[in-house]
Amino acid sequence: MIVRGAVLREMGLAAPYAESRPLRVEEVELAPPGPGELLVRIRAAGLCHSDLSVIDGSRPRVMPMLLGHEATGEVVESSAAGFAPGDVVACAFVPACGTCGPCASGRPALCEPGAAANTTGALLTGAHRLSAGSSIVHHHLGISGFADHAVISAHSAVKIDPALPPQIAALFGCAVLTGVGAVVNTARLRAGRSTAIFGLGGVGLSALLGAVLVGAHPIVAVDVVPAKLRLALDLGATAAVDARAPDAVDQVREATAGGAEYAFETVGSAKVLEQAYAATRRGGTTITVGLPHP
Ligand SMILES: NC(=O)c1ccc[n+]([C@@H]2O[C@H](COP(=O)([O-])OP(=O)(O)OC[C@H]3O[C@@H](n4cnc5c(N)ncnc54)[C@H](O)[C@@H]3O)[C@@H](O)[C@H]2O)c1
Ligand SMILES: [Zn+2]
Ligand SMILES: [Zn+2]
């Protein structure tokens, strides 16, 4: 079938993008799902900073690529066990094969065949289902959700409650699983543990919600945008620190009575990672989530 989607053909074009227009909405050919794959009608997709990192070339990927790796949709056609037309799914940006070493040991975020497929811009099966003329258009992290339809591996799909509004459900494909996953699975944060979160974008706010969920205390939210700091306080942060202040790290250490037991970097900046480390208490843990230029 022919689908319309936002294709990136060249990374690193000059900003402002309103003029250079790196993303073009094109008509591309989408092949039917192969074994273990689903055809999904996309209902909503989120814009993650990692999309921008492909566009600006700081996290290079194989070109051309139909972008978008955080989406939700309805299964239209299923060639996979356990999924039927009408199922509503979140499309997760790390396919989890379920059988490799990391998957079998309970760390599906580190799935090895999943990472290999994502690196080559293919689906988990190794297949490419997108093309334009005689050339392949690569899949973005197994999803390519900036389109009206996508073919994805069933290992990239998680069935969700259809009542969830699509614009929220889409975030479960990246921001929520990344931010909440860092808190709950990587840090194994517990009630009463002091926590600092640097960066309050989709990922950082999800980490904040995860920290509130497990009862961490105190929770210090750090950003450079005052409106984000106010939102963080509304969502359950106990203190907010403006990162533009020269003594921001000291403020975090003070609000956590000597340093956070867990400090999360969710900006994607080496400098902020240094600050998160400096704000971590002796014996504490600094968790890096953001993706600065390698
Ligand atoms: N590890 C993963 O699997 C994974 C998944 C998704 C996103 N990421 C990465 O996580 C990072 C965040 O993604 P996002 O979509 O939430 O980004 P975003 O752009 O929505 O949010 C970044 C936030 O950081 C704030 N910020 C900027 N400079 C700051 C500073 N000096 N100090 C404190 N805050 C500052 C911004 O105001 C913004 O609120 C990106 O690097 C992204 O590529 C990693
Ligand atoms: Zn993302
Ligand atoms: Zn695996």
Side-chain angles (χ1 to χ4, degrees), residues 49-50 93 174 178 200-203 223 228 243 266-268 272 289-291:
H49 201 104
S50 301
F93 76 98
C174 181
T178 302
L200 302 170
V203 175
D223 205 288
K228 300 242 182 181
T266 55
V267 175
V272 176
V289 184
L291 296 172

Side-chain angles (χ1 to χ4, degrees), residues 47-53 58-59 69-70 93-94 109 141 174-175 177-179 197-206 222-225 228 241-244 265-269 271-272 275 288-293:
L47 180 65
C48 168
H49 201 104
S50 301
D51 294 298
L52 178 60
S53 300
S58 59
R59 286 275 162 169
H69 63 278
E70 176 181 82
F93 76 98
V94 187
L141 302 177
C174 181
L177 74 83
T178 302
I197 297 166
F198 288 76
L200 302 170
V203 175
L205 287 171
S206 297
V222 189
D223 205 288
V224 291
V225 179
K228 300 242 182 181
V241 170
D242 189 330
R244 295 170 302 177
E265 196 279 347
T266 55
V267 175
S269 153
K271 182 173 163 284
V272 176
Q275 291 180 321
T288 157
V289 184
L291 296 172
H293 193 290

Side-chain angles (χ1 to χ4, degrees), residues 44-153:
L47 180 65
C48 168
H49 201 104
S50 301
D51 294 298
L52 178 60
S53 300
V54 183
I55 293 169
D56 71 18
S58 59
R59 286 275 162 169
R61 302 242 164 235
V62 270
M63 296 286 105
M65 181 170 271
L66 200 162
L67 291 193
H69 63 278
E70 176 181 82
T72 183
E74 183 184 334
V75 174
V76 178
E77 196 181 321
S78 170
S79 301
F83 291 89
D87 285 347
V88 175
V89 295
C91 307
F93 76 98
V94 187
C97 76
T99 53
C100 72
C103 280
S105 66
R107 300 205 65 189
L110 300 179
C111 176
E112 285 166 357
N118 281 354
T119 300
T120 57
L123 299 184
L124 184 62
T125 49
H128 293 274
R129 303 292 177 211
L130 288 164
S131 60
S134 56
S135 60
I136 283 174
V137 174
H138 295 91
H139 297 271
H140 188 198
L141 302 177
I143 306 300
S144 290
F146 294 164
D148 50 82
H149 289 77
V151 168
I152 65 174
S153 164

